[in-house]
């Protein structure tokens, strides 16, 4: 799986950056995005499949 991730990053010209554990302030924009997703899309939802979660998130 890690190799597929690395290959995908390379194909799309992305840089995968790692941050130290327990330092959410170093990726505040991502933490904010996750908060929005949870509040607007995932709160009080139980998904049976990844496809179902994807559909709700895309909508």
């Amino acid at each position: 799986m890690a190799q597929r991730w690395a290959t995908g990053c390379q194909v799309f010209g992305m840089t995968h950056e790692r941050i130290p554990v327990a330092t959410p302030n170093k990726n505040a924009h991502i933490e904010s995005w996750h908060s929005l997703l949870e509040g607007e899309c995932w709160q009080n939802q139980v998904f049976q499949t990844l496809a179902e979660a994807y559909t709700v998130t895309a909508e």
Side-chain angles (χ1 to χ4, degrees):
M1 188 66 160
Q3 182 59 42
R4 289 177 66 188
W5 173 260
T7 300
C9 287
Q10 186 176 18
V11 166
F12 292 107
M14 299 182 334
T15 301
H16 180 213
E17 296 182 28
R18 298 174 191 259
I19 64 166
V21 175
T23 55
N25 58 322
K26 293 197 177 197
N27 66 342
H29 58 287
I30 296 300
E31 294 294 330
S32 178
W33 172 246
H34 287 167
S35 176
L36 287 171
L37 280 177
E38 185 171 353
E40 294 183 16
C41 299
W42 303 334
Q43 193 171 33
N44 301 321
Q45 300 254 3
V46 176
F47 302 112
Q48 299 301 316
T49 65
L50 180 59
E52 183 182 354
Y54 182 88
T55 299
V56 169
T57 303
E59 290 174 355

